Amino acid sequence: MPTTLPVPIQFRLPQGWQAAPPEEVGASDVAFIALHPHPDAGFTANITIDGDYRPDNATLVDIADASVERLREVADSVVVTSRREIGSADAPGLTQRLALSAVSGDVLRDLVQSHVYLSMLDVGDPRRRAVIRMVLTATATQHDSIVGDFQDFLRTVRPDTGTGP
C-alpha cells in the first residue's frame, strides 16, 4: 500500500511523464511516482514524492544524511556529489545529488539521484512540520538530459490549500 503525504501538495508533471500506481511499479514506500516515457538501457527514470511529519528538531541536513544512509543499505556505492541549502528561514529546503551503483532489474547500474527536501507547515495546524522529499532517479547517462524536466516539475510544487491553482 502506498504511503500518503503528511500535507497536501499540488504540482504538474513535465510533458510525457506518466503517473503510475506506486505498488504496481515496486515503489510502495512512496506516495507518488511518475515515469519517464523513454527508458535508458532498460531503466525507466522516475520522479518520486514521499514525506512525513517531523516532530523532532532534525535539520534538513540530518534528514538528507539519513536518506543517504538508507541508500547505502541497498546500493553498492553511494557518493554525495553536491548539497545545497535553498529557500528561506520560513520555507527552508535542501538539494543534493547522489551518484550510486545499485542493482535494478538484475543489472548493476550507475544511477544519479537528485533529491529536493522541502520543510512545510501543515495548513490545518501550523505547529506541525512536515518534510516532503522529491527525487529524480535516472541512469548516469540520461540524468543530465532530463534534469531540466525535474526542475520544471519542482517549479510547480506548492501546498494544496484547496483554493485552486
PDB file of all heavy atoms in Angstrom, residues 10 123 159-165:
ATOM      1  N   GLN A  10       0.230  20.286  -4.585  1.00  0.00           N
ATOM      2  CA  GLN A  10      -0.189  20.197  -5.977  1.00  0.00           C
ATOM      3  C   GLN A  10       1.033  20.436  -6.856  1.00  0.00           C
ATOM      4  O   GLN A  10       1.994  21.087  -6.439  1.00  0.00           O
ATOM      5  CB  GLN A  10      -1.304  21.191  -6.285  1.00  0.00           C
ATOM      6  CG  GLN A  10      -0.962  22.627  -6.039  1.00  0.00           C
ATOM      7  CD  GLN A  10      -2.158  23.536  -6.312  1.00  0.00           C
ATOM      8  OE1 GLN A  10      -3.194  23.121  -6.817  1.00  0.00           O
ATOM      9  NE2 GLN A  10      -2.007  24.801  -5.979  1.00  0.00           N
ATOM     10  N   VAL A 123      -1.062  23.086   6.820  1.00  0.00           N
ATOM     11  CA  VAL A 123      -2.023  24.173   6.643  1.00  0.00           C
ATOM     12  C   VAL A 123      -3.084  24.132   7.741  1.00  0.00           C
ATOM     13  O   VAL A 123      -3.513  25.157   8.247  1.00  0.00           O
ATOM     14  CB  VAL A 123      -2.671  24.103   5.238  1.00  0.00           C
ATOM     15  CG1 VAL A 123      -3.755  25.147   5.075  1.00  0.00           C
ATOM     16  CG2 VAL A 123      -1.614  24.252   4.156  1.00  0.00           C
ATOM     17  N   PRO A 159       1.921  24.034  -1.784  1.00  0.00           N
ATOM     18  CA  PRO A 159       0.908  23.475  -0.889  1.00  0.00           C
ATOM     19  C   PRO A 159      -0.460  23.519  -1.565  1.00  0.00           C
ATOM     20  O   PRO A 159      -0.767  24.467  -2.294  1.00  0.00           O
ATOM     21  CB  PRO A 159       0.924  24.407   0.321  1.00  0.00           C
ATOM     22  CG  PRO A 159       2.230  25.123   0.245  1.00  0.00           C
ATOM     23  CD  PRO A 159       2.602  25.195  -1.206  1.00  0.00           C
ATOM     24  N   ASP A 160      -1.237  22.496  -1.340  1.00  0.00           N
ATOM     25  CA  ASP A 160      -2.603  22.465  -1.872  1.00  0.00           C
ATOM     26  C   ASP A 160      -3.528  22.955  -0.768  1.00  0.00           C
ATOM     27  O   ASP A 160      -3.844  22.220   0.156  1.00  0.00           O
ATOM     28  CB  ASP A 160      -2.976  21.063  -2.317  1.00  0.00           C
ATOM     29  CG  ASP A 160      -4.314  21.002  -3.006  1.00  0.00           C
ATOM     30  OD1 ASP A 160      -5.055  22.029  -3.000  1.00  0.00           O
ATOM     31  OD2 ASP A 160      -4.658  19.943  -3.552  1.00  0.00           O
ATOM     32  N   THR A 161      -3.948  24.182  -0.903  1.00  0.00           N
ATOM     33  CA  THR A 161      -4.822  24.785   0.118  1.00  0.00           C
ATOM     34  C   THR A 161      -6.289  24.551  -0.187  1.00  0.00           C
ATOM     35  O   THR A 161      -7.156  24.995   0.561  1.00  0.00           O
ATOM     36  CB  THR A 161      -4.562  26.296   0.216  1.00  0.00           C
ATOM     37  OG1 THR A 161      -4.819  26.881  -1.063  1.00  0.00           O
ATOM     38  CG2 THR A 161      -3.118  26.577   0.636  1.00  0.00           C
ATOM     39  N   GLY A 162      -6.564  23.877  -1.311  1.00  0.00           N
ATOM     40  CA  GLY A 162      -7.937  23.604  -1.678  1.00  0.00           C
ATOM     41  C   GLY A 162      -8.629  24.789  -2.316  1.00  0.00           C
ATOM     42  O   GLY A 162      -9.832  24.740  -2.574  1.00  0.00           O
ATOM     43  N   THR A 163      -7.881  25.837  -2.605  1.00  0.00           N
ATOM     44  CA  THR A 163      -8.494  27.044  -3.196  1.00  0.00           C
ATOM     45  C   THR A 163      -8.224  27.139  -4.677  1.00  0.00           C
ATOM     46  O   THR A 163      -8.525  28.148  -5.297  1.00  0.00           O
ATOM     47  CB  THR A 163      -7.955  28.326  -2.506  1.00  0.00           C
ATOM     48  OG1 THR A 163      -6.540  28.379  -2.668  1.00  0.00           O
ATOM     49  CG2 THR A 163      -8.335  28.352  -1.046  1.00  0.00           C
ATOM     50  N   GLY A 164      -7.641  26.109  -5.277  1.00  0.00           N
ATOM     51  CA  GLY A 164      -7.358  26.123  -6.716  1.00  0.00           C
ATOM     52  C   GLY A 164      -5.974  26.615  -7.020  1.00  0.00           C
ATOM     53  O   GLY A 164      -5.252  27.043  -6.129  1.00  0.00           O
ATOM     54  N   PRO A 165      -5.584  26.579  -8.314  1.00  0.00           N
ATOM     55  CA  PRO A 165      -4.210  26.937  -8.704  1.00  0.00           C
ATOM     56  C   PRO A 165      -3.836  28.366  -8.499  1.00  0.00           C
ATOM     57  O   PRO A 165      -4.431  29.297  -8.409  1.00  0.00           O
ATOM     58  CB  PRO A 165      -4.141  26.582 -10.181  1.00  0.00           C
ATOM     59  CG  PRO A 165      -5.474  26.145 -10.612  1.00  0.00           C
ATOM     60  CD  PRO A 165      -6.371  26.109  -9.418  1.00  0.00           C
TER      61      PRO A 165
END
